[in-house]
């Protein structure tokens, strides 16, 4: 039996559907209310519980999980810093300790590549050993960095639970409603004038595949996960058939947060590259992304563009 | 015509390291590079009329070209990259390692990445060498490019990073002497407080600044002469003590200084 946290999210539901298809029993949990599941997974047991509260412990008491997928990291936009600390840091700590307590054999923790930060000094590509520079300029991402560090330490502190921490690049796809996917679906998307950094994207199906590989494999540790190719930001916008417009660098941070309601750290991702190297994950788990970059981008925005493309790629 | 046919042929002849959308991980794009190098061939080449010597000394495969830095603006790197692509029998794409403040310069940084330049970082350098690419480094850094007139053609102390990388990746070092750069924008002294205010590493004051105004920052049409020496093959521990690495670095430094001195001796005119 497999527990999936963050089951309200598009990625968690896609993963759950694939697990059901492979014959696993799945239980979902989310701290958010109004848990509506896609029709193909609507019959699975779901619980509404904050990961840092005692109610969450009951989920572990009621089911004997062999695997826990902690996909429920709360993104930057949705909650206040205090709430994110509670859910991401205290909550993840509870997910991990309950996993050990209840003899879970495999734990997958979904982190993010945002913690590397898009920094002018970033080397290319960034491997897992690189310092996490995001907190340097954007302290509000501290909860994500702490979650990742905690999980990394956990890998070695608790060898009895085979733990894999995944740091995917920009995850997008038709069922994903995170900052980046929402951004790409807008009718006009900004770029920072004079900057056009290389950017990577990972499709929800490819990340689902990576998570399934992490479950079935034997490796443990922290791994980057990236898509098949990379292009400059403005080329990605062209591939999404969306017109970009320039924002002066000096104004972009304020404009992005106030007008577009995007997290401020995103500004640096529009200025500097943050290209990750996922060779270790591919080598360890024999995984590779199946969708092209063009398919990854277009399937994300196809509905928003009403199926009309301006030009062909790939 | 935005693209010169010779430039296009040279770039098309390079080994392809780009993905199916025409980019490599560092942002190099052959189509933009063709336009950039065409500008170099049509504007920079006729202006500085570079002469290259010893291009055949550059071995195939991974290589570290190590040069003296000069001239306030990075024309020296541009010219080395141009001659390696356009004057060599077998065109080479030289990835120039640029200063750490370049990524913050809008438009310019973007063009540099598309044409093959890369942020000067040891990990970038190692990754490119392991990918069998050619790298141009100026171990003097801004101490070299910001030299004043009284220090011209005297090498500032070299960093050790290039030597450790050469040892770690088993890469030959090609010493390179660049003659002409020091006279392109001569500098009497640097105004440090203004440089700090503007966020640039140095702010040179050319002697003709009072007469020419900002035009003094346009480089003079000096002739560049680029000398490529015989490759140096170093072997040993890359993580050895600084003193051991320093010895190896000083051998490279003195080779380049000798090449500079010879180049200056053989030069009859700065402009011809």
């Amino acid at each position: 039996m497999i527990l999936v946290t963050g089951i309200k999210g598009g990625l968690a539901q896609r993963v759950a559907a694939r697990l059901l298809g492979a014959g696993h029993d799945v239980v979902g949990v989310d701290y958010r209310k109004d848990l509506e599941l896609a029709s193909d997974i609507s019959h699975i047991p779901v619980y509404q519980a904050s990961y840092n509260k005692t109610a969450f412990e009951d989920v572990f008491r009621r089911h004997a999980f062999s695997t826990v997928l902690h996909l429920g990291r709360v993104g930057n936009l949705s909650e206040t810093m205090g709430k994110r600390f509670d859910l991401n840091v205290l909550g993840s700590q509870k997910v991990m300790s309950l996993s050990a307590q209840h003899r879970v054999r495999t734990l997958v923790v979904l982190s993010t590549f945002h913690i590397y930060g898009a920094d002018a000094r970033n080397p290319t590509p960034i491997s897992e050993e690189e310092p996490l520079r995001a907190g340097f300029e954007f302290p509000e991402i501290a909860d994500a960095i702490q979650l990742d560090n905690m999980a990394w330490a956990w890998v070695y502190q608790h060898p009895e639970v085979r733990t894999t921490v995944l740091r995917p690049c920009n995850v997008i796809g038709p069922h994903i409603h995170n900052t980046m996917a929402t951004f790409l679906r807008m009718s006009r998307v900004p770029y920072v004038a004079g900057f056009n950094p290389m950017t990577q994207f990972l499709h929800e199906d490819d990340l689902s595949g990576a998570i399934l590989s992490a479950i079935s494999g034997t490796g443990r540790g922290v791994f980057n996960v990236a898509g098949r190719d990379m292009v400059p930001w403005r080329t990605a916008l062209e591939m999404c058939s969306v017109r970009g417009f320039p924002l002066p660098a000096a104004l972009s941070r304020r404009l992005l947060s106030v007008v577009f309601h995007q997290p401020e750290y995103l500004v640096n991702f529009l200025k500097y590259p943050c290209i990750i190297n996922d060779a270790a994950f591919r080598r360890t788990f024999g995984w590779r992304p199946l969708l092209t970059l063009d398919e990854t981008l277009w399937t994300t925005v196809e509905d928003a563009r009403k199926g009309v493309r301006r030009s062909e790629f790939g | 015509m935005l693209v010169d046919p010779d430039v296009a042929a040279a770039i098309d002849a390079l080994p392809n390291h780009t993905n199916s959308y025409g980019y490599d991980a560092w942002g190099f794009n052959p189509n933009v590079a063709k336009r950039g190098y065409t500008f170099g061939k049509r504007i920079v080449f006729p202006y500085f009329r570079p002469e290259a010597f010893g291009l055949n000394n550059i071995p195939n495969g991974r290589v570290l070209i190590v040069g003296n830095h000069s001239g306030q603006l990075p024309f020296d790197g541009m010219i080395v990259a141009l001659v390696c692509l356009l004057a060599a029998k077998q065109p080479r794409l030289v990835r120039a390692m640029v200063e750490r403040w370049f990524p913050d310069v809008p438009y310019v940084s973007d063009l540099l990445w598309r044409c093959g330049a890369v942020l000067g970082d040891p990990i970038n350098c190692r990754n490119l060498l392991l990918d069998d690419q050619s790298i141009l480094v100026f171990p003097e850094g801004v101490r070299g490019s910001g030299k004043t007139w009284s220090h011209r053609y005297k090498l500032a102390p070299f960093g050790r990073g290039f030597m450790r990388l050469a040892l770690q990746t088993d890469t030959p070092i090609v010493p390179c002497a660049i003659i002409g750069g020091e006279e392109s924008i001569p500098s009497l002294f640097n105004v440090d407080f203004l440089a700090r205010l503007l966020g640039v590493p140095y702010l040179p004051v050319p002697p003709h600044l009072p007469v020419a105004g900002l035009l003094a920052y346009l480089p003079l049409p000096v002739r560049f002469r680029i000398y490529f020496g015989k490759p140096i093959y170093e072997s040993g521990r890359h993580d050895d003590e600084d003193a051991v690495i320093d010895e190896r670095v000083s051998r490279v430094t003195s080779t380049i200084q000798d090449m500079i001195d010879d180049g200056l001796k053989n030069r009859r005119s700065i402009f011809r």
Side-chain angles (χ1 to χ4, degrees), chain B residues 130-191:
Chain B
L130 293 177
D131 200 27
D132 278 339
Q133 304 212 29
S134 320
I135 287 184
L136 170 63
V137 289
F138 295 112
E140 295 168 278
V142 290
R143 295 185 305 264
S145 52
K147 264 179 228 153
T148 51
W149 185 250
S150 56
H151 293 94
R152 68 191 185 281
Y153 297 118
K154 287 177 203 150
L155 290 176
F158 274 24
R160 301 179 188 100
F162 80 94
M163 182 56 75
R164 292 194 188 278
L165 278 163
L167 291 166
Q168 189 182 7
T169 58
D170 199 18
T171 301
I173 294 168
V174 169
C176 174
I178 300 160
I179 310 288
E182 300 282 18
E183 292 88 3
S184 63
I185 304 179
S187 165
L188 290 179
F189 57 90
N190 288 317
V191 191

Side-chain angles (χ1 to χ4, degrees), chain A residues 39-206:
Chain A
S39 56
D40 53 349
I41 60 163
S42 58
H43 59 285
I44 67 166
V46 285
Y47 297 89
Q48 195 252 315
S50 283
Y51 315 133
N52 57 324
K53 296 285 167 62
T54 47
F56 183 55
E57 295 170 15
D58 272 351
V59 182
F60 278 79
R61 291 188 194 109
R62 279 180 211 154
H63 306 274
F65 299 118
S66 61
T67 299
V68 171
L69 307 181
H70 185 33
L71 312 183
R73 188 184 63 83
V74 182
N76 191 282
L77 269 183
S78 24
E79 301 289 356
T80 62
M81 264 184 90
K83 183 90 187 258
R84 277 189 282 120
F85 182 85
D86 286 349
L87 288 163
N88 288 341
V89 180
L90 303 181
S92 299
Q93 199 174 30
K94 200 177 255 303
V95 171
M96 291 189 270
S97 59
L98 286 169
S99 297
Q101 207 179 317
H102 291 268
R103 298 177 189 283
V104 167
R105 287 197 301 277
T106 305
L107 172 65
V108 179
V109 178
L110 190 65
S111 179
T112 171
F113 87 126
H114 283 141
I115 56 178
Y116 290 117
D119 191 282
R121 296 160 301 167
N122 270 350
T124 298
I126 297 172
S127 58
E128 291 82 354
E129 292 77 27
E130 285 300 306
L132 308 175
R133 291 193 167 107
F136 183 71
E137 226 181 317
F138 299 103
E140 58 267 37
I141 203 170
D143 60 305
I145 295 176
Q146 201 171 336
L147 185 165
D148 186 281
N149 280 337
M150 230 162 46
W152 195 338
W154 171 268
V155 171
Y156 302 102
Q157 286 165 346
H158 291 273
E160 73 277 15
V161 184
R162 189 179 62 80
T163 303
T164 312
V165 184
L166 302 182
R167 293 176 180 166
C169 65
N170 293 304
V171 181
I172 56 172
H175 301 93
I176 304 289
H177 298 280
N178 61 13
T179 303
M180 181 52 82
T182 311
F183 210 38
L184 291 173
R185 291 187 192 111
M186 295 194 314
S187 52
R188 302 268 283 164
V189 180
Y191 60 86
V192 180
F195 295 93
N196 196 12
M198 297 301 288
T199 318
Q200 287 167 308
F201 299 91
L202 179 62
H203 194 274
E204 57 186 43
D205 289 347
D206 279 331

